[in-house]
Amino acid sequence: MPKWRARTLNSSRMDRSAEFKKWKAQCLSKADLSRKGSVDEDVIELVQLLNAREQFFTTSSCAGRILLLDGMVALKKANGDAVFKFEPFVLHVQCRQLQDAQMLHSVAIDSGFRNSGITVGKRGKIMLAVRSTHGLEVPLSHKGKLMVTEEYIEFLLNIANQKMEENKKRIERFYNCLQLALERETITYSHTKIKEKNNPFCTHKKKRNPEKLRGKCIPEENDKEPENDDDSDPGINVAIFPKDY
């Protein structure tokens, strides 16, 4: 490769790295505009782990929630269409490079969040959305008329609580698997630097094998509630935003 081309590529990487640092600093310095005003307790450690790494920063998160009207009296007074919902964990992470997003995507899939995907914006922003498919949404009333019994609402609440427990297990699994993947990445990077230092003529880097990240973090066959996903290989979802992002 000509020296001028190598310098151009290095300059481009430096510019992109500097821009990513600026985006991260701006995002993390903003006030939390959510209703709660702070990160959910169940995902604080996960968010802190990601934000402590130079190649990631979180833009939004929700540990999961159950939306339920305050008892049958309030439900009977509803004039519109009442809906019972369970919304599982969701996390959005901006990544410095596509390979960083791919590593994080692999960890998310192995942890049970099989609806996760990567989106690349026009300005080069690489976003990973960590999502699962075990949500719940059930209509309870229509035009003010209650369509279900109180017993059935109690049944839905029990199901939602079970889903929340499973949701918490997947969050914990994601955190543990992410720690393991980051440790492996750090060790691999250190070994590569040592080799380059000892052999200055060897400048190529060994490609990361994503399969190695899947090793000890696949206890999903023991889950009580399998994902509703027939595709055995979820792959990487890459889309281009229609507008400048």
Side-chain angles (χ1 to χ4, degrees):
M1 179 184 296
K3 290 184 178 179
W4 64 267
R5 187 177 178 186
R7 289 172 183 168
T8 301
L9 290 174
N10 289 335
S11 177
S12 177
R13 291 194 187 101
M14 290 177 64
D15 291 344
R16 184 171 294 276
S17 179
E19 190 171 25
F20 179 82
K21 288 181 179 179
K22 182 183 71 174
W23 287 336
K24 181 172 183 176
Q26 290 175 344
C27 181
L28 297 185
S29 64
K30 292 180 180 178
D32 192 329
L33 299 179
S34 65
R35 290 183 179 180
K36 184 182 178 184
S38 62
V39 178
D40 292 339
E41 183 178 354
D42 289 336
V43 295
I44 287 180
E45 290 186 351
L46 176 59
V47 169
Q48 291 176 340
L49 177 62
L50 287 165
N51 289 333
R53 306 292 294 204
E54 61 180 10
Q55 69 268 43
F56 304 117
F57 67 91
T58 61
T59 60
S60 65
S61 65
C62 177
R65 57 184 179 174
I66 297 174
L67 305 180
L68 177 65
L69 291 175
D70 188 15
M72 286 295 289
V73 175
L75 189 57
K76 288 179 179 178
K77 291 182 179 179
N79 295 321
D81 297 344
V83 179
F84 180 92
K85 283 186 179 181
F86 164 72
E87 297 178 347
F89 167 69
V90 62
L91 175 71
H92 293 93
V93 184
Q94 187 167 333
C95 307
R96 184 176 56 187
Q97 299 180 31
L98 185 58
Q99 65 182 16
D100 298 321
Q102 289 173 329
M103 182 275 284
L104 200 55
H105 180 269
S106 177
V107 173
I109 295 298
D110 289 343
S111 303
F113 299 105
R114 296 185 59 81
N115 200 31
S116 301
I118 299 171
T119 307
V120 181
K122 285 184 177 180
R123 292 177 57 192
K125 289 186 178 180
I126 302 170
M127 298 293 300
L128 172 75
V130 181
R131 300 176 300 231
S132 62
T133 61
H134 73 299
L136 178 68
E137 182 171 345
V138 182
L140 301 180
S141 67
H142 179 61
K143 295 182 179 180
K145 180 181 179 181
L146 185 63
M147 307 300 292
V148 298
T149 64
E150 184 175 358
E151 182 181 6
Y152 184 69
I153 295 175
E154 197 69 31
F155 170 71
L156 289 178
L157 184 58
N158 289 332
I159 292 179
N161 286 331
Q162 292 174 10
K163 285 180 175 288
M164 181 63 82
E165 288 302 314
E166 172 60 26
N167 183 66
K168 290 181 179 180
K169 290 179 182 178
R170 294 187 186 190
I171 293 173
E172 183 177 2
R173 186 186 308 147
F174 181 59
Y175 177 79
N176 293 333
C177 290
L178 178 59
Q179 278 190 316
L180 179 61
L182 291 175
E183 289 173 2
R184 290 177 177 176
E185 186 179 63
T186 300
I187 293 172
T188 301
Y189 178 79
S190 299
H191 287 175
T192 301
K193 284 299 181 182
I194 292 173
K195 287 182 181 179
E196 290 179 358
K197 184 177 181 180
N198 294 336
N199 186 2
F201 297 102
C202 180
T203 58
H204 66 278
K205 294 184 179 181
K206 185 177 180 182
K207 293 183 178 180
R208 180 155 71 240
N209 183 1
E211 291 300 321
K212 291 183 178 180
L213 298 176
R214 297 176 177 257
K216 299 180 180 179
C217 295
I218 318 180
E220 205 177 352
E221 63 271 13
N222 295 325
D223 289 349
K224 295 181 179 179
E225 182 181 352
E227 291 287 348
N228 297 323
D229 192 344
D230 295 328
D231 188 358
S232 59
D233 184 10
I236 305 293
N237 300 321
V238 179
I240 302 297
F241 284 128
K243 297 181 180 179
D244 189 21
Y245 177 70

